[in-house]
Amino acid sequence: MKKMLLTVVVLGAIYAVIGEIIFYTTYFYLLDVSDEIGWYFIAGGLGVLYTLLIVRYFRNRHWYGVLFIPVAYFLFLVIFSMVISQFFPIEEGHDGIGLLLIFVHIFHLIIIGFGIVAGLVANLIILQVKGGIRCKGYSK
């Protein structure tokens, strides 16, 4: 149980750092918001990474723990936003910064949700292949 809680906290912190990196690279024009292909590659790469992390750390136990990852994500997102804004302040007069913040973090939260669902489905398939789930009336 303690290991599961530590894993949830660490994954939430990692996801929040990645979300902040995406936000600040978009803010400083290193990543173009209108580049749809780039966003698809980011979504695909992070989706696969998040799926592999869920498969690795929540293998057929404590499946309910992954529901707390988005909660930890938002908690660390607030903390890291306050800390990072001290090093990289956002200039006054940018009216669209709030919309950019909402866009980036909702986009990232959708990817996290996809990674969680895909990781749980992959764990279920792995468990089924190993013979861990028996259906009623099913016999080999």
Side-chain angles (χ1 to χ4, degrees), residues 68-80:
F68 295 106
I69 291 175
V71 174
Y73 167 73
F74 278 119
L75 227 115
F76 283 109
L77 184 64
V78 170
I79 293 170
F80 291 150

Side-chain angles (χ1 to χ4, degrees), residues 27-120:
Y27 174 70
F28 289 117
Y29 304 111
L30 300 174
L31 181 64
D32 189 12
V33 178
S34 63
D35 182 23
E36 291 180 18
I37 302 297
W39 286 104
Y40 291 145
F41 278 117
I42 290 172
L46 288 178
V48 169
L49 174 69
Y50 295 163
T51 301
L52 293 175
L53 287 173
I54 296 298
V55 168
R56 168 69 177 97
Y57 291 110
F58 291 95
R59 184 168 304 243
N60 303 324
R61 62 184 188 281
H62 304 300
W63 288 28
Y64 56 88
V66 297
L67 300 176
F68 295 106
I69 291 175
V71 174
Y73 167 73
F74 278 119
L75 227 115
F76 283 109
L77 184 64
V78 170
I79 293 170
F80 291 150
S81 293
M82 290 173 24
V83 171
I84 293 174
S85 68
Q86 299 301 316
F87 298 108
F88 301 107
I90 295 175
E91 299 173 4
E92 296 290 326
H94 285 154
D95 298 331
I97 196 69
L99 289 175
L100 179 65
L101 180 77
I102 291 170
F103 169 74
V104 167
H105 288 299
I106 287 178
F107 171 77
H108 193 230
L109 194 60
I110 290 170
I111 296 170
I112 290 171
F114 170 77
I116 288 173
V117 170
L120 290 178

